[in-house]
């Protein structure tokens, strides 16, 4: 995520360095605090509860002794109403102090997640006072520290976290000492903050201590110990893993020099950051500091730093000044980035002029080839001039016919013609790929797309010729299966059913488990895409299957018959397991994942199949499903089984982990309510997030079903729930499944029950899906090949493949 950029004029210079460190390391929590604990990754706070408008039915009613577990599960799922209800029953009806303490902690966590901080403190204080011997006391003080921090009561936060360290020594010392340091820093107790940071550096943890060293350096600066601060910055520079850290060190150490009155040294550091690390935001801060202090810098460097800081207007002004003073003596970089700046500001005509100047005069520039594609994109996507855009790409091909971009640009030119319904030109251009570059991976794809055009036009004889030629040119089993699928479809239309069946038989055996092979098999069986099984078993006997898997592990890896595979075994003493479990219990799921992933990758590197098996079982039970899936796959890889042989050679238990019925209590009722085969919903979620509810994507999508905030707000408005909706609710599995299935169902209705189009709309947007639907009618296979986004085509194919596995694993034999 992008870091919030404060005005350097509104933040005191001496504290700006640590403020930025703190803000940058806190991207995964609620941005509602002036300063946020670095690294805090608890699932973001949801909307208030327990005022939700409905309460799920719990069947059968659990006994009081089981209600805490039921509540904890509901809390993990983000179903706060159900969780709160369970905890209240325990608090009212159970005489067991351990159960009551656990329920009180659960109640406090719900208040915290709801942003009801005073009620959180009240619940935590009740837990501390009424159950002083509770094993949950450490968690209570940790949560109390977070609440105090969010309420800006920094001394109280530091005290709470110190109590946690006293109660739970050796668990999360590095992390909690860092939190204490942040609290004490904000309380202006700099000496105590430095002690906390030093303790954090000395405690064992994952990764290096660069972030902590940066904080310690900034704290030294606040204390006036400039020499110690500079010494720390020098040490960080020597081991900085990337240019971004180097830019930060230059900026912050420059501030130290300014505080010492060493202005020339400060200006030199700011200038070095600007000239050497323009991609870093700290270079932009250095630029501002440099100019504020009366320093100078070259206009090209200034423009580049402004560009990468997304300050496009001032970037253009800097490039203008540079070009005015250097009309000929330069390499064209200013023209290229001025074009980029103008494009990003939607000044498309001006951008095109810069691209044209750059292309005409600077063919040796490393971005020269990219500029052709960027120019063509503006021409068709913004100006609607499809012909000019395609000609731009074809002109590039004629000038440089043998670069890595050549075939890509030919394929893109054909797609642009096809997008504009200039089908003859599209076919002609794709033919050039096959004829002029026959040995490339693109040649088979080009001829295949020619066949799709012919098929769509009803010219089935030409389509058949193209698909047969694509088969001959195919370099991969996937492309061969694709060609056979379409040969079969075309032969069927031409009336040669036997030839169609033969093509599908050939296709189904080429790429076992792959989309086109599975689709060919479905064609042979006359089964509709994504057809649900006749019946499904959602409660397999995992205990028995686990025993079978244990026996297989012993046999496959030559273990003694008495080897106990229950539990973690020796892994239980690994510090990453200890820290990971503690993070998990505190709700710090992403930090827990990092610990367990470190262990998992080490087990993979050391080829420890037994350790991977133990870890897969443990993580599946814990609820860290994505890492469990990877660990189970490691075991099969070490056994010599690939994706195609797994189902035939390994016990089904491994497939149950890798294709689990996770979150069934949410997915089954929501699927039924929205008219979906639950196995289809499981397949979508596995593709979207691998069942990791706290995950975010680079595109800003959140949660199990990867819903973007704008869509989430729309769905919340349609459903009228949850109350007081915020974007953070998308991290709640309960909300994500409800929203995702609702949105899919809306798309399904929009496209008349076409699951391919509904999935395309979910991934690529309803407007695009409607355009692709208009090109393909009711033919799902033609729809897939009409999808113009490779990501969306892969998305549909992957879900199809996953659904096939789920159907075979949980459906009745067909």
């Amino acid at each position: 995520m992008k870091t919030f950029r404060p005005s350097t004029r509104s933040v005191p210079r001496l504290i700006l360095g640590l403020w930025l460190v703190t803000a940058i390391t806190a991207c995964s929590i609620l941005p509602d605090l002036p300063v946020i604990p670095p690294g805090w990754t608890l699932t973001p706070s949801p909307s208030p509860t327990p005022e939700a408008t409905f309460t799920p039915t719990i069947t059968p009613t659990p006994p009081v002794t089981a209600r805490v577990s039921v509540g904890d599960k509901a809390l993990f799922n983000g179903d706060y109403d159900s969780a709160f209800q369970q905890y209240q029953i325990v608090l009212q009806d159970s005489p067991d102090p351990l159960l009551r303490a656990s329920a009180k902690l659960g109640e406090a966590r719900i208040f915290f997640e709801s942003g009801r901080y005073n009620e959180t403190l009240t619940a935590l204080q009740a837990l501390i006072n009424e159950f002083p011997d509770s094993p949950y006391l450490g968690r209570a003080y940790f949560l109390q520290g977070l609440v105090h921090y969010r309420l800006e009561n920094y001394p109280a936060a530091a005290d709470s976290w110190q109590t946690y360290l006293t109660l739970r020594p050796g668990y999360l010392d590095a992390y909690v000492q860092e939190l204490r340091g942040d609290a004490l820093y904000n309380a202006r107790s700099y000496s105590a903050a430095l002690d906390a940071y030093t303790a954090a550096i000395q405690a064992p943890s994952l990764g290096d201590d660069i972030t902590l060293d940066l904080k310690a350096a900034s704290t030294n600066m606040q204390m006036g110990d400039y020499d110690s601060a500079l010494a720390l910055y020098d040490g960080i520079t020597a081991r900085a893993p990337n240019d971004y850290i180097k830019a930060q060190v230059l900026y912050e150490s420059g501030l130290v020099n300014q505080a010492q009155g060493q202005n020339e040294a400060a200006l030199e550091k700011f200038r070095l950051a600007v000239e050497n690390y323009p991609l870093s935001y700290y270079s932009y801060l250095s630029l501002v500091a440099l100019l504020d202090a009366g320093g100078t810098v070259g206009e090209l460097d200034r423009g580049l730093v402004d560009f990468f800081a997304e300050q496009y207007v001032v970037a253009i002004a800097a490039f203008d000044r540079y070009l005015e003073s250097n009309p000929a003596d330069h390499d064209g970089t200013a023209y290229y980035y001025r074009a980029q700046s103008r494009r990003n500001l939607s000044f498309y005509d001006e951008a095109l002029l810069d691209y044209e100047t750059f292309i005409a005069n600077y063919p040796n520039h490393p971005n020269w080839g990219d500029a052709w594609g960027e120019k063509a994109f503006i021409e068709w996507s913004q100006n609607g001039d499809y012909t000019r855009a395609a000609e731009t790409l074809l002109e590039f091909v004629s000038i440089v016919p043998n670069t890595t971009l050549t075939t890509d640009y030919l394929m893109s030119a054909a797609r642009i013609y096809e997008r504009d319904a200039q089908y003859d030109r599209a076919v002609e251009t794709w033919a050039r790929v096959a004829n002029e570059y026959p040995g490339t991976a693109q040649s088979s794809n080009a001829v295949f797309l020619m066949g799709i055009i012919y098929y769509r036009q009803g010219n089935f004889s030409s389509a058949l010729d193209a698909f047969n030629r694509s088969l001959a040119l195919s370099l991969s089993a996937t492309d061969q299966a694709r060609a056979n699928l379409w040969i079969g479809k075309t032969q069927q239309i031409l009336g040669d059913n036997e030839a169609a069946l033969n093509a599908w038989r050939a296709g189904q055996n080429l790429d076992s488990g792959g989309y086109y092979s599975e689709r060919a098999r479905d064609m042979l069986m006359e089964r509709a895409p994504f057809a649900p099984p006749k019946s499904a078993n959602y409660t397999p006997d995992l205990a028995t299957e686990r025993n079978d898997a244990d026996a297989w592990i012993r046999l496959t890896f030559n273990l003694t018959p008495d080897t106990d595979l229950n539990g973690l075994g020796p892994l239980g003493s690994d510090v990453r397991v200890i820290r990971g479990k503690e993070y998990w219990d505190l709700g710090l799921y992403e930090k827990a994942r990092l610990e367990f992933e470190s262990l998992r990758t080490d087990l993979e590197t050391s080829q420890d199949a037994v350790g991977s098996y133990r870890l897969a079982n443990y993580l599946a039970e814990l609820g860290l499903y994505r890492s469990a899936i990877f660990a189970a796959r490691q075991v099969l890889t070490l056994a010599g089984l690939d994706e195609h042989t797994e189902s035939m050679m390994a016990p089904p238990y491994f497939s149950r982990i890798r294709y689990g019925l996770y979150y069934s209590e949410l997915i089954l009722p929501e699927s039924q309510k929205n008219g979906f085969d639950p196995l289809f919903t499981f397949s979508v979620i596995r593709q979207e997030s691998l069942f990791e509810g706290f995950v975010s994507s680079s595109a800003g999508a959140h949660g199990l079903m990867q819903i973007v905030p704008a869509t989430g707000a729309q769905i919340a408005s349609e459903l009228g729930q949850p109350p007081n909706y915020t974007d953070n609710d998308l991290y709640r599995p309960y909300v994500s499944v409800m929203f995702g299935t609702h949105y899919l169902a809306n798309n399904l209705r929009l496209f008349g029950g076409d699951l391919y189009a509904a999935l395309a709309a979910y991934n690529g947007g309803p407007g695009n899906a409607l355009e692709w639907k208009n090109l393909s009618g009711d033919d799902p296979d033609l729809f897939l090949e009409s999808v113009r986004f490779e990501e969306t085509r892969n998305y549909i194919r992957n879900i199809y493949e996953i659904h096939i596995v789920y159907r075979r694993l949980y459906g009745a034999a067909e």
Side-chain angles (χ1 to χ4, degrees), residues 265-596:
L267 293 179
E268 181 61 21
K269 287 180 177 177
F270 296 148
R271 189 176 293 109
L272 284 172
V274 169
E275 293 175 352
N276 291 283
Y277 312 116
L279 274 69
S280 169
Y281 188 66
Y282 282 98
S283 293
Y284 177 72
L285 295 177
S286 293
L287 174 63
V288 174
L290 180 67
L291 297 176
D292 283 351
T296 58
V297 66
E299 295 292 354
L300 179 61
D301 289 321
R302 181 174 180 173
L304 290 172
V305 169
D306 284 330
F307 171 81
F308 288 113
E310 300 180 12
Q311 305 296 313
Y312 301 122
V313 173
V314 290
I316 290 171
F319 293 135
D320 287 345
R321 292 190 296 269
Y322 176 79
L323 291 170
E324 287 171 6
S325 60
N326 298 274
D329 187 21
H330 60 85
D331 67 353
T333 295
Y335 278 118
Y336 178 74
Y337 283 102
R338 191 171 70 176
Q340 300 279 78
S341 300
R342 287 172 163 172
R343 180 200 65 190
N344 292 344
L345 290 172
S346 301
F347 300 154
Y348 298 116
D349 291 339
E350 294 92 335
L352 287 174
L353 289 174
D354 275 342
Y355 281 128
E356 288 165 2
T357 300
F358 178 72
I359 288 169
N361 294 285
Y362 304 100
N364 296 320
H365 195 281
N367 295 114
W368 186 74
D370 296 332
W372 290 85
E374 291 157 8
K375 176 177 178 287
F377 183 79
I378 291 175
E379 288 168 337
W380 76 260
S381 68
Q382 302 301 327
N383 293 353
D385 193 344
Y386 292 85
T387 300
R388 177 63 257 173
E391 289 173 349
T392 293
L393 297 177
L394 294 177
E395 183 181 353
F396 173 87
V397 172
S398 68
I399 295 172
V400 280
N402 295 306
T403 71
T404 55
L405 285 174
T406 300
T407 54
D408 288 341
Y409 279 180
L410 273 175
M411 295 292 291
S412 295
R415 276 290 195 186
I416 290 170
Y417 281 136
E418 186 265 350
R419 188 183 291 265
D420 196 38
Q422 298 186 53
Y423 298 124
D424 290 344
R425 288 187 173 183
V427 167
E428 176 185 333
T429 307
W430 275 319
R432 286 188 59 186
V433 177
N435 295 333
E436 297 173 24
Y437 305 94
T440 65
Q442 294 279 34
S443 61
S444 171
N445 193 39
V447 176
F448 173 78
L449 292 171
M450 291 167 56
I452 292 296
I453 294 293
Y454 291 135
Y455 189 96
R456 187 186 296 144
Q457 294 175 327
N459 185 352
F460 298 114
S461 295
S462 295
L464 184 60
D465 290 341
F467 294 139
N468 276 308
R469 188 179 176 198
S470 176
L471 178 60
L473 291 170
S474 295
L475 301 177
S476 69
T478 297
D479 287 351
Q480 292 167 9
R482 179 181 65 178
N484 273 295
L485 172 66
W486 280 90
I487 289 170
K489 285 175 66 73
T490 310
Q491 291 282 24
Q492 186 180 54
I493 287 181
L494 291 171
D496 193 340
N497 289 328
E498 187 60 32
L501 294 174
N502 287 335
W504 291 333
R505 290 187 187 107
Q508 73 170 339
N509 296 319
L510 283 165
D511 185 26
S512 178
Y515 170 80
Y516 290 104
S517 289
E518 295 298 342
R519 184 75 188 104
R521 182 172 291 109
D522 282 349
M523 295 291 281
L524 284 169
M525 299 180 67
E526 299 183 356
R527 183 164 54 198
F530 293 110
K534 295 177 181 177
S535 63
N537 177 17
Y538 298 113
T539 57
D541 187 353
L542 291 178
T544 298
E545 292 185 354
R546 167 74 182 273
N547 290 335
D548 293 341
D550 286 356
W552 182 83
I553 286 282
R554 293 189 181 94
L555 179 64
T556 302
F557 296 101
N558 297 316
L559 306 181
T560 59
D562 60 346
T563 301
D564 185 3
L565 294 173
N566 292 318
L568 284 167
L571 297 181
S573 60
D574 190 290
V575 294
R576 290 165 293 188
V577 169
I578 294 169
R579 288 196 300 260
K581 182 59 165 61
E582 186 77 356
Y583 279 132
W584 191 266
D585 289 342
L586 292 172
L588 300 169
Y589 301 127
E590 175 59 22
K591 283 195 165 292
R593 186 192 70 82
L594 292 174
E595 298 285 347
F596 290 122

Side-chain angles (χ1 to χ4, degrees), residues 231-246:
L232 278 169
Y233 284 128
D234 288 343
I236 296 167
T237 300
R239 68 183 201 280
N242 55 58
D243 289 350
Y244 297 93
I245 295 294
K246 293 175 184 177

